[in-house]
Amino acid sequence: MDELDREQPGASFNLGDLVGIIKRRKWWIAIPTLLLSAAAVTVALMLPPVYRAEGTILIERPNVPPDLIDSTVTSQADERIEKIRREFIASDNLAGLVEKYDLYPEMRREVPMADVVHRFRQGIHVELVQSSRREPAVAFQVGFEYSEPGKAQQVASEVATWYLRENLRARQEKSRETAEFLEQQTSALASEVGRLEEELAEFKKENAGQLPNQQDLIRGEVVELQRSLRDLNFERQSLGERRADLAQTLAGIQSGSEPAALAPDSRLEELRDERATLAAQYTEKHPDIISLDRRIAALEARQSGQDQGTEASGSTTARSGNPQIFQIREELAAIDRNLNALARRRDVLRSDIEEKREALRRAAAIEDEYRALQREYDNTVTDYRTLRRKKLTADMGASLELNQKGERFTLIEPPQEPFSPIKPDRKMIVLAGAFMSLAFGCGLAFLREMADGSIRGVRKLEALTGAQPLVVVPYIRTRREIVRAWTWRGASAAGVLAAAAGGLFYVHTHVVPLDIVASQAEQQVDDKLDRFLK
């Protein structure tokens, strides 16, 4: 028969053959399907439920506009949320919460605390709520998953409280630290400003009259002294001319003619004027001034000799008792005294001019040092003022955070105790188990049919023999077979009903009350009807 099957592989296959296979191999399909489906239902019912308690925290913007008072906390809300989450899921903190709420008692008896903490960490959920990816988060949700709804709600409340407390503490602490840091820097700069002020005052005291800002005054004094020196030279020149005239008059009275020796030496006055001009520009050691001093000294010596001759001749004339001669001599003596006084005054003026010039030279030497010290002082004062303004801003920012007027977290929806678990999805587990069970049973039936070499059906017989059968006698079941079939069907239906009732009882007692499920289903139906009618 197998050889005939291999010789005629073209035997047709239709829906009737498939129905026949299902009837013949029904137990190969039904038993694995029922067993595996029951196993899937059992697994779905035995998996512990996991409840999630969630709360919503709103990220509120500052009450005071940033252009009026800007907060010193510049980090974004999502950064602070992640930072707070990292602090919360620290092992020490989670271990304390595990002990506080008696979480995972069976797991704690079997595995180390590190594994329990890792399991705890996986149950914590934080999710940002954003209107769009480019926009900042407007709120975030915190939640915790656990097998007991009450403890899930307690831990979720603990997480929400932690976020509220830590955000407030972190913002106030950061603003306070910023204000304290700026206070320290401001105090340090204030001390530096005081030190520079003292150093600058001491420098001004040590170099009084030689500071760069006093050079214009010193130059003005030099110009004034030079003007006084020129006036003195002019006065001296006038007195010299007057003396020369008197000497000439005296000589004329005594001899009746003007002696050449007593004529005024205009060259001496010219040299003196020239020296006064050079003295206003050069020091006493300049070669031109030294040369002029020698020439002036020689001419003065010559003039002194002439004056002595005049006095000798005058004494002879005085003995003659001429009152005019006596008067002229008295006037000449007065002029000489004035000239000597002018000479001393001229020396004083020259000395003053030289001192002022020396002060100007010293001022030029200390100008760089003074300007560097003044520049350091000005820069430090500028930095101090800038830092002072920043400190005032930081103080206002700290006050803003202390009064909770800045960005803050507000719990708008506290975590509630959940009524229904979020996992496992028992419906999907049962449906997937039933589908896989049916597929497995059909696969077994197909394999069993392929392994069976029996000839079944008229078409296959006709295909093997090449002739149609004369009569087809159908299979006739006995009464016993019929009773047995209906008995099996009834037992199967009762078993299915019992399993369904047991499953509903387990769901009602261990998962969620059936009245709550019915209420939720009714609410969903009403919502769908309302949307459909609208």
Side-chain angles (χ1 to χ4, degrees):
M1 188 66 65
D2 294 340
E3 293 179 356
L4 291 176
D5 291 339
R6 288 192 297 268
E7 288 176 358
Q8 297 188 12
S12 61
F13 184 83
N14 54 21
L15 184 61
D17 296 334
L18 180 61
V19 173
I21 293 174
I22 293 175
K23 288 181 178 181
R24 288 192 301 272
R25 310 299 177 186
K26 57 181 178 296
W27 300 118
W28 287 87
I29 298 174
I31 294 176
T33 300
L34 292 176
L35 292 178
L36 293 179
S37 298
V41 172
T42 303
V43 170
L45 295 178
M46 292 183 64
L47 286 176
V50 177
Y51 297 88
R52 175 184 289 182
E54 287 184 332
T56 303
I57 299 177
L58 180 66
I59 304 174
E60 292 194 66
R61 301 307 175 194
N63 291 343
V64 181
D67 54 348
L68 295 179
I69 300 178
D70 196 5
S71 175
T72 55
V73 182
T74 57
S75 59
Q76 298 295 328
D78 52 353
E79 297 178 1
R80 278 183 281 112
I81 291 171
E82 179 62 21
K83 180 177 180 295
I84 295 173
R85 189 185 75 85
R86 291 292 179 181
E87 294 175 353
F88 181 80
I89 64 175
S91 298
D92 294 339
N93 185 53
L94 294 185
L97 292 177
V98 168
E99 298 291 340
K100 178 180 179 181
Y101 294 104
D102 191 23
L103 303 177
Y104 311 105
E106 297 180 357
M107 186 177 182
R108 282 175 10 218
R109 290 193 294 267
E110 298 176 358
V111 298
M113 179 59 73
D115 295 338
V116 177
V117 168
H118 180 70
R119 175 71 176 276
F120 188 10
R121 188 178 291 117
Q122 290 179 339
I124 299 172
H125 297 277
V126 179
E127 184 179 358
L128 295 176
V129 178
Q130 295 176 289
S131 57
S132 64
R133 292 184 177 180
R134 296 183 178 180
E135 296 294 331
V138 297
F140 63 98
Q141 293 179 334
V142 294
F144 179 65
E145 296 179 359
Y146 194 64
S147 58
E148 299 179 21
K151 292 185 177 181
Q153 186 265 340
Q154 291 177 351
V155 176
S157 299
E158 184 77 23
V159 176
T161 304
W162 175 277
Y163 268 92
L164 297 178
R165 182 179 64 250
E166 288 301 311
N167 178 69
L168 181 61
R169 183 195 61 79
R171 292 185 67 90
Q172 291 181 353
E173 181 178 353
K174 186 170 184 179
S175 61
R176 185 177 63 255
E177 289 177 353
T178 303
E180 290 177 354
F181 172 76
L182 290 177
E183 175 66 26
Q184 295 175 358
Q185 297 300 315
T186 303
S187 299
L189 273 182
S191 301
E192 182 68 13
V193 169
R195 185 190 67 81
L196 289 175
E197 286 180 349
E198 294 178 358
E199 185 176 350
L200 194 58
E202 185 66 23
F203 187 85
K204 290 180 179 180
K205 182 178 179 181
E206 293 177 356
N207 301 276
Q210 303 175 15
L211 300 176
N213 54 3
Q214 297 174 342
Q215 291 183 8
D216 293 338
L217 179 61
I218 298 175
R219 290 191 183 95
E221 292 177 354
V222 170
V223 171
E224 187 65 28
L225 290 174
Q226 289 176 349
R227 186 181 298 111
S228 299
L229 182 60
R230 286 195 298 269
D231 295 341
L232 188 145
N233 289 332
F234 179 75
E235 184 179 356
R236 189 169 178 273
Q237 182 179 359
S238 299
L239 289 176
E241 292 176 356
R242 176 60 179 165
R243 185 183 185 284
D245 292 339
L246 291 175
Q248 184 178 6
T249 303
L250 181 60
I253 293 173
Q254 290 178 348
S255 61
S257 63
E258 183 180 349
L262 295 176
D265 193 352
S266 60
R267 181 59 179 166
L268 179 61
E269 298 302 329
E270 293 177 359
L271 291 178
R272 288 174 176 170
D273 294 338
E274 184 177 357
R275 188 190 186 284
T277 303
L278 292 177
Q281 300 177 0
Y282 306 109
T283 63
E284 295 291 338
K285 296 181 180 180
H286 195 273
D288 293 341
I289 294 180
I290 294 173
S291 177
L292 284 174
D293 287 340
R294 291 175 182 174
R295 294 169 63 184
I296 291 172
L299 289 175
E300 286 179 348
R302 186 187 309 168
Q303 183 68 33
S304 177
Q306 291 177 0
D307 292 342
Q308 289 176 2
T310 303
E311 290 177 359
S313 61
S315 63
T316 304
T317 308
R319 285 193 294 267
S320 63
N322 190 344
Q324 187 177 3
I325 293 175
F326 178 77
Q327 183 179 1
I328 292 174
R329 286 178 179 176
E330 289 296 330
E331 190 173 354
L332 286 173
I335 291 175
D336 289 337
R337 288 192 299 270
N338 290 335
L339 287 174
N340 291 331
L342 290 176
R344 289 191 299 271
R345 186 179 175 189
R346 180 188 62 184
D347 293 337
V348 172
L349 288 176
R350 289 175 178 174
S351 177
D352 291 342
I353 291 174
E354 184 60 29
E355 289 180 1
K356 299 299 181 182
R357 287 177 176 171
E358 183 65 24
L360 287 175
R361 287 191 291 271
R362 288 195 299 269
I366 67 173
E367 181 177 4
D368 293 339
E369 183 179 357
Y370 174 77
R371 293 193 183 280
L373 185 60
Q374 184 67 40
R375 184 166 53 252
E376 183 180 2
Y377 172 76
D378 294 339
N379 292 337
T380 305
V381 170
T382 301
D383 294 341
Y384 172 76
R385 291 173 179 172
T386 302
L387 200 59
R388 181 68 179 173
R389 288 193 295 269
K390 291 182 178 180
K391 179 186 176 300
L392 293 176
T393 303
D395 290 339
M396 289 189 291
S399 177
L400 186 74
E401 296 299 335
L402 184 63
N403 296 322
Q404 301 185 24
K405 300 299 182 182
E407 185 181 81
R408 59 194 182 278
F409 293 166
T410 303
L411 183 64
I412 59 176
E413 186 177 347
Q416 302 294 330
E417 183 174 348
F419 292 101
S420 58
I422 61 168
K423 58 182 180 182
D425 192 347
R426 291 182 169 82
K427 294 180 181 179
M428 291 301 299
I429 293 176
V430 171
L431 290 177
F435 178 77
M436 294 177 64
S437 301
L438 181 61
F440 182 76
C442 292
L444 286 179
F446 179 76
L447 292 176
R448 181 68 184 85
E449 185 69 19
M450 294 292 294
D452 190 1
S454 302
I455 299 174
R456 300 178 183 279
V458 177
R459 286 188 298 275
K460 190 171 183 180
L461 180 62
E462 183 180 355
L464 293 175
T465 59
Q468 293 184 353
L470 297 177
V471 178
V472 178
V473 179
Y475 180 77
I476 301 174
R477 292 187 298 173
T478 63
R479 180 181 297 276
R480 183 179 180 181
E481 291 176 340
I482 296 174
V483 171
R484 185 173 58 186
W486 281 104
T487 303
W488 176 253
R489 292 173 183 174
S492 300
V496 171
L497 292 176
L504 291 176
F505 179 77
Y506 181 84
V507 170
H508 180 76
T509 56
H510 293 79
V511 181
V512 61
L514 295 179
D515 54 347
I516 296 177
V517 176
S519 176
Q520 293 178 350
E522 183 179 358
Q523 183 66 32
Q524 292 180 358
V525 171
D526 292 339
D527 294 340
K528 290 181 179 180
L529 288 176
D530 292 339
R531 287 195 296 269
F532 178 75
L533 295 176
K534 289 180 180 180

